[in-house]
């Protein structure tokens, strides 16, 4: 099966690309390399350097590749940045996504697997969060992803494109070869591990006065290898609709720091900082639908195992993908 992977040089897209190739898929990666890394793209994949914001570029690529399905990861994904520069998020995530969808319509591509997010729910009325929960994003990132879900829901009705929305909770961890390397890095686990490595002085805890047991935000951290598996399941014939991808267990910022201390054996100093705009207090998935309907069988449900994999990766590649490998 031939597939096009947008954002295949990014953190999650690169892991899914590797997994697809290992399972015999013919993969073309489409990526502008603005935030992704050429070195993260598996050498077995074809590669097109291009930006979804240029409609003609994605049209040409789609017509050339003519995939049977598209897996769409290419997007900006930083909550904090999205509240400072929301226009970037609507232009790239929504505008770029619409160019991609238009190219799919033009070329008659029948299936999309979309990298969506729990940020589309905003602060949920109930935790854990199931797929029926109201989607009321509290940051521009979540709104841009929800906007694209809505567009694709109409294109399913009107153009028959089958879409699967995989709403990730917090992607984390690393495989042997592939890990998290953003510049600037804003995510909790890599930031904590940078302190353990001695490359930054202290972890800043964004808010210690949330209505949670230890006052810090709770998230459902999911290993990227488990996320990758869900994409292969989503590609199967007849699968469509939204699936939450989380383990149903939450860890607070302080619990993540404690786990990293245990695993690294390092002290990891931390300090309390003001809340970050757009952060809901707790996001934990009710993942039953993915287990039942997708047949998802996650392997890394233990936070320590996730952090251990990330710790292994940062020690092996302390400069990330900077040095081409
Ligand atoms: N966080 C923090 N310090 C950091 C980075 C993140 O306290 O250096 C907090 C952040 O405010 C949120 C949680 O950790 O409550 C997870 O943030 P991350 O950016 O990793 O993922 P997000 O939930 O924003 O997708």
């Amino acid at each position: 099966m031939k597939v096009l992977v947008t954002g295949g040089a990014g953190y999650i897209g690169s892991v899914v690309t590797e997994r697809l190739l290992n399972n015999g898929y013919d993969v073309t990666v489409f990526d502008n390399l603005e935030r992704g890394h050429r070195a993260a793209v598996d050498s077995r994949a074809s590669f097109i350097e291009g930006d979804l914001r240029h409609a003609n570029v994605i049209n040409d690529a789609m017509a050339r590749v003519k995939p049977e399905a598209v897996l769409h990861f290419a997007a900006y994904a930083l909550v904090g940045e999205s509240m400072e520069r929301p226009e970037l998020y609507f232009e790239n995530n929504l505008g770029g996504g619409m160019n991609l969808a238009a190219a799919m319509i033009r070329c008659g591509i029948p299936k999309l697997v979309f990298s969506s997010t729990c940020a589309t729910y905003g602060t949920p009325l109930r935790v854990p969060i199931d797929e029926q929960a109201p989607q009321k994003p509290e940051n521009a990132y979540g709104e841009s992803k929800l906007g694209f879900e809505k567009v694709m829901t109409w294109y399913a009705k009107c153009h028959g494109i089958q879409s699967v929305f995989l709403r990730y909770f917090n992607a984390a961890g690393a495989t042997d070869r592939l890990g998290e390397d953003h510049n600037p890095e804003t995510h909790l686990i890599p930031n904590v591990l940078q302190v353990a490595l001695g490359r930054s002085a202290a972890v800043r805890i964004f808010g210690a006065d949330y209505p949670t047991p230890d006052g810090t935000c709770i998230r459902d951290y999911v290993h990227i290898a488990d996320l990758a598996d869900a994409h292969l399941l989503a590609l199967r014939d007849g699968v469509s609709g939204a699936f939450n991808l989380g383990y149903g267990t939450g860890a607070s910022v302080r619990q993540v720091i404690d786990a990293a201390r245990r695993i690294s054996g390092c002290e990891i100093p931390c300090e309390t900082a003001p809340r970050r705009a757009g952060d809901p207090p707790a996001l934990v998935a009710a993942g039953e639908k993915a287990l039942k309907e997708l047949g998802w069988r996650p392997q890394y449900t233990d936070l320590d195992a996730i952090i251990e994999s990330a710790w292994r990766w940062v020690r092996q590649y302390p400069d990330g993908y900077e040095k081409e490998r």
Side-chain angles (χ1 to χ4, degrees):
M1 185 178 186
K2 199 191 268 190
V3 295
L4 182 74
V5 178
T6 76
Y11 176 42
I12 306 172
S14 62
V15 177
V16 174
T17 295
E18 184 181 60
R19 188 63 55 105
L20 288 164
L21 289 159
N22 289 346
N23 283 273
Y25 287 82
D26 176 350
V27 182
T28 300
V29 166
F30 181 96
D31 198 297
N32 65 3
L33 298 180
E34 184 191 337
R35 295 188 177 183
H37 309 275
R38 185 66 181 88
V41 180
D42 195 299
S43 57
R44 294 168 292 173
S46 306
F47 183 76
I48 299 173
E49 187 171 342
D51 193 311
L52 291 176
R53 286 165 289 199
H54 301 139
N56 58 329
V57 175
I58 182 60
N59 277 335
D60 290 350
M62 195 69 73
R64 205 155 14 113
V65 178
K66 281 222 171 358
E68 288 154 80
V70 172
L71 295 101
H72 175 37
F73 300 91
Y76 293 143
L78 303 178
V79 167
E81 180 187 61
S82 82
M83 298 300 282
E84 282 157 21
R85 301 199 59 195
E87 65 283 7
L88 292 183
Y89 281 71
F90 292 110
E91 277 164 25
N92 193 29
N93 298 4
L94 190 54
M98 287 176 65
N99 287 339
L100 174 71
M104 290 178 69
I105 294 167
R106 197 167 288 125
C107 295
I109 315 301
K111 174 116 187 189
L112 175 85
V113 178
F114 174 50
S115 178
S116 188
T117 169
C118 63
T120 59
Y121 294 113
T123 299
L125 297 174
R126 266 188 308 277
V127 176
I129 307 166
D130 66 29
E131 290 80 358
Q132 304 308 317
Q135 288 179 290
K136 292 185 177 164
E138 280 171 19
N139 52 62
Y141 164 61
E143 190 73 70
S144 70
K145 289 275 180 173
L146 177 59
F148 189 63
E149 281 197 8
K150 286 184 175 166
V151 167
M152 292 314 298
T153 301
W154 286 105
Y155 290 1
K157 284 195 180 89
C158 307
H159 291 297
I161 298 177
Q162 207 171 62
S163 284
V164 185
F165 307 140
L166 297 179
R167 296 184 188 143
Y168 313 147
F169 281 63
N170 282 59
T175 66
D176 289 345
R177 205 179 72 80
L178 303 167
E180 191 162 11
D181 178 10
H182 298 113
N183 187 15
E185 188 54 78
T186 67
H187 290 115
L188 178 64
I189 292 176
N191 278 354
V192 169
L193 297 182
Q194 284 303 312
V195 178
L197 278 179
R199 292 187 157 212
S200 73
V203 181
R204 298 176 70 217
I205 299 176
F206 297 138
D209 56 351
Y210 282 98
T212 61
D214 68 14
T216 66
C217 285
I218 292 175
R219 296 288 181 272
D220 188 341
Y221 294 91
V222 189
H223 197 281
I224 44 167
D226 284 335
L227 291 182
D229 286 344
H231 292 75
L232 274 82
L233 297 167
L235 277 172
R236 285 176 313 175
D237 261 354
V239 178
S240 67
F243 296 92
N244 285 346
L245 297 180
Y247 298 145
T249 47
S252 71
V253 173
R254 286 195 198 284
Q255 285 173 319
V256 168
I257 297 169
D258 284 342
R261 284 177 176 143
R262 267 196 309 278
I263 287 153
S264 66
C266 301
E267 186 196 345
I268 313 187
C270 56
E271 62 197 28
T272 303
R275 289 183 178 196
R276 193 173 68 176
D279 270 345
L283 295 170
V284 176
E288 284 77 13
K289 188 180 175 207
L291 302 182
K292 278 199 198 116
E293 292 183 27
L294 212 50
W296 190 45
R297 297 285 169 271
Q299 306 289 312
Y300 287 88
T301 51
D302 173 42
L303 179 67
D304 282 27
I306 295 175
I307 295 180
E308 225 162 61
S309 73
W311 179 233
R312 225 177 297 126
W313 196 82
V314 296
R315 272 183 312 158
Q316 194 172 355
Y317 305 109
D319 298 313
Y321 292 104
E322 196 169 283
K323 294 190 186 75
E324 292 274 320
R325 295 185 258 135

